[in-house]
């Protein structure tokens, strides 16, 4: 399917209106931008308010006073109408950003091991050099890029990652992360078959038109198109030279705007956060999308913000205030108001202004600050939010930092580790597909040598909770004493992240060290003082005669009878 023709083509396509709108809501929670939250929930944009000209109609919208679903959504905490005469003092707890950050850290704190399957490799040397090049991809910002993408995927349901190259900038290809609402995908049986990346460009000459660059990816080619339209439609397709940011494409593409990639693979891939997506199952084009960690917990996060705002409101209202009679105020004349000097120690009471209250007419007012009630409410909401998102409170330090064994840590973080394992199910195939595409680009466009793009790859993630080294050492010592473990298995248990070659090298080094400590004397291979092994039999070495008495020898005392 080619790029859309010129005309009133709706963009983005209408079938993605609902998913992209939900992503905008999740982006507001993820970024923690209170003005964005107020905007997506129908409330006032706080950054755009003019404090000198603030009235009821500037602060509120008609939808906030409606009934039904529309009014209910608009009246969520961030969509509630602001009381006239009161400041917009809503506070936000950035728990959504914390959840996304935790998701990325659980998956990508350590570099996963991506290796060539040695069973399918025909050349061991080629397999080693290919594995080494893959490690360079991950070390060369690939690891950091995937961690960034995973954090965005946690918030926005998934991300796209494309392979790019420019030998003038870097000797190897690298990865670029794209937001899920910046790509229009095409699927077949849940597999991405084509994708159109779109970007809004700066207006030309200060006009009000909306310029867009569309970049359609297909296996073997990329097709480009520049459009000038409005906020809702693509409009007219323009020449690349009509916009300064796309002029370079005129030399890169053919007359149809296509660029051959010389790689019979899609150079862009989709990495879902987790599946299935419960909200968009009724939309065929959006059903393969992942599911955001925020899906379904937005009201809980709004309630947490409301509870936190109420707590801070108690602090603000809990400031001590005193009320004094007018007779104690000093004035500078009519119309100048009154004031009182709180540091003054002596006041002269005027009888004609005394209302009979005397000193008791001075009153102090200080509201109670409901610390315990607010703290318990916020803690309960926080735990429920984390549990609904699939994480344990211990992962956020809710249970303190008391020292614990690896087994105890796993038990406390079981929910988080289960979610991590589920997400790895979707990360692994996406990573292997991305690495394979990168190898093809590296060989075709960057001239890589010793890289086999056709090799079968395997990927493994390191343990999220590392075992206690002391406990592992004791276990290996017990097994060695019992003679129930080999040197190979000891190294494999102690270093599970090593590949087969590294393990065998370490085994050889251990054996060399043991041989150096206990050298075998020359001429004594069996360590028995230079003798030879005893003959297992007699009479020509016949094992059947072992233990039979020699002629003339008493089998009881071993002495020879004399004739």
């Amino acid at each position: 399917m080619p790029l859309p023709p010129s005309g009133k083509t709706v963009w983005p396509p209408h079938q993605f209106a609902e998913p992209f709108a939900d992503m905008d809501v999740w982006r507001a929670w993820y970024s923690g931008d209170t003005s964005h939250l107020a905007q997506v929930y129908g409330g006032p944009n706080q950054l755009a308010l003019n404090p000198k000209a603030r009235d009821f109609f500037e602060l509120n919208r008609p939808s906030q006073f409606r009934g039904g679903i529309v009014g209910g959504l608009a009246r969520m905490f961030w969509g509630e109408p602001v009381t006239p005469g009161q400041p917009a003092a809503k506070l936000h707890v950035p728990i959504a950003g914390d959840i996304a950050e935790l998701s990325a850290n659980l998956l990508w704190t350590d570099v996963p091991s991506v290796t060539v399957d040695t069973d399918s490799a025909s050349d061991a040397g080629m397999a080693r050099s290919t594995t080494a090049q893959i490690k360079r991809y991950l070390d060369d910002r690939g690891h950091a890029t995937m961690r960034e993408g995973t954090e965005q995927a946690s918030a926005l349901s998934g991300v796209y990652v494309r392979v790019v190259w420019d030998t003038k900038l870097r000797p190897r290809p690298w990865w670029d992360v794209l937001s899920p609402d910046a790509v229009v995908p095409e699927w077949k049986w849940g597999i991405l078959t084509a994708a159109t990346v779109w970007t809004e460009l700066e207006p030309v000459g200060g006009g009000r038109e909306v310029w867009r660059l569309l970049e359609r990816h297909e296996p073997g080619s990329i097709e480009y198109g520049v459009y000038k339209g409005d906020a809702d439609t693509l409009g007219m397709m323009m020449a690349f030279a009509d916009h300064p940011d796309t002029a370079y494409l005129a030399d890169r593409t053919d007359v149809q705007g296509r660029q051959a990639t010389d790689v019979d693979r899609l150079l862009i891939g989709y990495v879902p956060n987790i599946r299935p997506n419960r909200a968009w199952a009724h939309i065929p084009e959006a059903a393969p999308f992942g599911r955001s960690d925020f899906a379904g917990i937005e009201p809980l996060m709004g309630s947490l913000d409301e509870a936190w705002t109420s707590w801070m409101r108690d602090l603000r209202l809990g400031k001590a205030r005193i009320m004094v009679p007018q007779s104690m105020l000093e004035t500078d004349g009519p119309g100048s108001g009154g004031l009182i000097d709180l540091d003054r120690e002596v006041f002269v009471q005027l009888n004609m202004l005394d209302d009979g209250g005397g000193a008791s007419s001075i009153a102090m007012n200080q509201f109670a600050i409901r610390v315990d009630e607010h703290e318990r409410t916020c803690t309960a909401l926080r735990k429920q939010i984390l549990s609904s998102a699939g994480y344990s409170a211990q992962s956020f330090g809710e249970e303190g930092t008391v020292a614990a064994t690896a087994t105890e840590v796993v038990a406390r973080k079981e929910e988080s580790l289960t979610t991590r394992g589920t997400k790895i199910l979707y990360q692994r195939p996406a990573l292997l597909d991305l690495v394979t595409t990168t190898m093809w680009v590296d060989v075709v466009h960057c001239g890589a040598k010793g890289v086999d793009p056709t090799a079968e790859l395997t990927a493994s993630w390191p343990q999220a909770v590392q075992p206690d080294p002391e406990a592992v050492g004791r276990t290996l010592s017990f097994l060695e004493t019992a003679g129930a473990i080999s040197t190979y298995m000891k190294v494999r248990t102690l270093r599970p992240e090593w590949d087969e070659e590294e393990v065998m090298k370490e085994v050889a080094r251990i054996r060399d060290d043991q041989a150096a400590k206990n050298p075998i004397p020359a001429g004594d291979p069996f360590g028995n003082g230079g003798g030879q092994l005893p003959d297992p039999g007699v009479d020509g070495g016949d094992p059947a005669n072992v233990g039979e008495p020699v002629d003339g020898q008493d089998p009881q005392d071993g002495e020879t009878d004399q004739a």
Side-chain angles (χ1 to χ4, degrees):
M1 181 185 299
L3 288 175
S6 298
K8 296 292 185 179
T9 303
V10 177
W11 198 265
H14 61 86
Q15 61 266 33
F16 295 100
E18 180 180 339
F20 288 178
D22 290 344
M23 292 175 190
D24 191 37
V25 174
W26 295 329
R27 179 178 284 106
W29 285 108
Y30 172 55
S31 66
D33 187 350
T34 55
S35 62
H36 194 181
L37 282 168
Q39 179 183 3
V40 297
Y41 282 103
N45 188 331
Q46 297 180 15
L47 296 181
L49 295 179
N50 182 358
K52 296 182 179 180
R54 182 184 299 164
D55 58 28
F56 180 78
F57 295 103
E58 287 178 335
L59 291 172
N60 303 287
R61 297 183 180 183
S63 62
Q64 296 166 316
F65 300 93
R66 294 178 184 171
I69 297 178
V70 175
L73 290 176
R75 286 193 299 272
M76 292 181 66
F77 177 67
W78 285 104
E80 291 177 348
V82 179
T83 303
Q86 295 293 328
K90 296 180 180 180
L91 299 177
H92 174 61
V93 180
I95 191 171
D98 295 340
I99 291 174
E101 184 177 358
L102 173 65
S103 175
N105 291 339
L106 285 174
L107 289 167
W108 289 94
T109 296
D110 299 317
V111 185
S113 175
V114 181
T115 58
V116 175
D117 187 359
T118 55
D119 295 337
S120 63
S122 58
D123 187 346
M126 178 69 76
R128 287 193 296 269
S129 61
T130 301
T131 300
Q133 186 72 343
I134 293 172
K135 188 175 184 300
R136 296 186 189 98
Y137 298 152
L138 292 171
D139 292 341
D140 188 13
R141 295 179 58 186
H143 177 206
T145 300
M146 291 302 295
R147 191 221 161 274
E148 296 168 8
T150 302
E151 182 171 326
Q152 294 184 44
S154 171
L156 304 179
S157 76
V159 292
Y160 294 88
V161 183
R162 60 181 172 183
V163 180
V164 297
W165 72 93
D166 188 340
T167 54
K168 296 180 180 178
L169 297 177
R170 312 182 75 172
R172 288 181 293 274
W174 67 94
W175 301 334
D176 180 37
V177 175
L178 297 171
S179 177
D181 55 358
V183 179
V184 175
E186 296 176 25
W187 314 91
K188 184 176 182 180
W189 306 113
I191 303 298
L192 186 67
T193 58
T196 301
V197 182
W198 61 284
T199 308
E200 287 194 5
L201 307 174
E202 290 292 331
V204 176
R208 302 183 62 179
E209 300 88 357
V210 177
W211 289 74
R212 296 180 178 89
L213 171 63
L214 270 59
E215 175 185 324
R216 178 178 171 77
H217 287 255
E218 293 180 343
S221 66
I222 303 175
E223 183 179 0
Y224 297 91
V226 181
Y227 296 83
K228 182 176 70 171
D230 53 31
D232 299 321
T233 60
L234 283 179
M236 183 69 65
M237 179 180 286
M238 310 298 291
F240 295 132
D242 292 338
H243 197 284
D245 293 341
T246 60
Y248 71 97
L249 293 173
D251 299 329
R252 180 183 295 181
T253 58
D254 58 18
V255 293
Q256 295 180 343
R258 289 179 175 268
Q259 175 189 2
T261 63
D262 298 326
V263 176
D264 193 22
R265 295 177 63 89
L266 200 61
L267 300 189
I268 186 171
Y270 180 68
V271 184
N273 178 50
I274 197 170
R275 285 171 174 159
N277 190 298
R278 303 164 186 150
W280 306 328
H282 62 288
I283 306 175
E285 294 82 359
F289 282 153
R291 184 177 74 244
S292 170
D293 286 341
F294 309 158
I297 63 173
E298 302 93 337
L300 290 174
M301 293 191 291
S303 297
L304 178 60
D305 289 347
E306 186 175 7
W308 192 264
T309 300
S310 176
W311 193 351
M312 297 303 104
R313 180 176 177 271
D314 270 19
L315 288 176
R316 188 171 64 253
L317 297 180
K319 297 177 182 178
R321 294 174 174 85
I322 61 172
M323 290 175 285
V324 300
Q326 188 175 3
S327 60
M328 301 185 66
L329 300 179
E330 298 179 357
T331 65
D332 291 335
S336 61
L339 57 88
I340 184 173
D341 184 3
L342 297 178
D343 293 328
R344 184 175 177 180
E345 296 181 354
V346 179
F347 292 88
V348 178
Q349 183 174 343
L350 302 178
N351 292 331
M352 66 178 189
L353 296 178
D354 185 13
D355 58 359
S360 63
S361 61
I362 301 178
M364 184 184 72
N365 184 17
Q366 185 173 16
F367 295 104
I369 302 175
R370 299 164 294 172
V371 176
D372 293 338
E373 292 86 346
H374 282 104
E375 184 177 11
R376 288 197 299 268
T377 301
C378 291
T379 301
L381 285 170
R382 182 179 175 87
K383 288 184 177 181
Q384 184 58 51
I385 289 170
L386 298 179
S387 178
S388 298
Y391 300 99
S392 305
Q394 174 67 19
S395 300
F396 287 80
E398 294 287 344
E399 303 297 331
T401 56
V402 180
T405 64
T407 303
E408 291 173 338
V409 172
V410 169
R412 293 178 183 178
K413 297 183 177 181
E414 181 179 3
E415 197 169 7
S416 296
L417 297 181
T418 300
T419 300
R420 175 183 185 266
T422 304
K423 290 189 175 185
I424 288 177
L425 296 178
Y426 301 100
Q427 291 270 336
R428 181 183 288 110
L431 176 63
L432 295 180
D433 188 68
L434 183 63
V435 170
T436 300
T437 303
T438 306
M439 289 193 296
W440 277 108
V441 173
D442 199 4
V443 171
V444 173
H445 296 283
C446 301
K449 304 297 183 183
V451 177
D452 182 10
T454 63
E456 293 289 337
L457 305 180
T458 59
S460 60
W461 265 253
Q463 293 180 329
V465 179
Q466 298 298 328
D468 184 8
E470 183 179 356
V472 174
R474 288 197 303 267
T475 301
L476 294 178
S477 178
F478 293 154
L479 293 173
E480 183 178 16
T481 302
I485 191 171
S486 65
T487 303
Y488 173 85
M489 287 307 301
K490 285 188 289 186
V491 176
R492 173 65 72 186
T493 302
L494 189 62
R495 300 294 184 185
E497 73 277 7
W498 284 3
D499 58 23
E500 186 72 14
E501 182 180 1
E502 291 175 315
V503 172
M504 294 307 298
K505 287 181 178 179
E506 184 66 14
V507 170
R509 285 192 289 264
I510 292 175
R511 290 175 177 172
D512 291 342
D513 291 343
Q514 292 174 344
K517 292 180 181 179
N518 302 296
I520 299 176
D524 186 13
F526 303 106
N528 58 0
Q532 296 180 352
L533 285 176
D535 195 341
V538 293
D539 294 339
D542 185 4
N545 294 327
V546 175
E548 295 292 334
V550 182
D551 292 342
Q553 183 180 24
D554 188 346
Q556 300 295 328
D557 55 13
E559 296 180 357
T560 304
D561 294 337
Q562 300 293 329

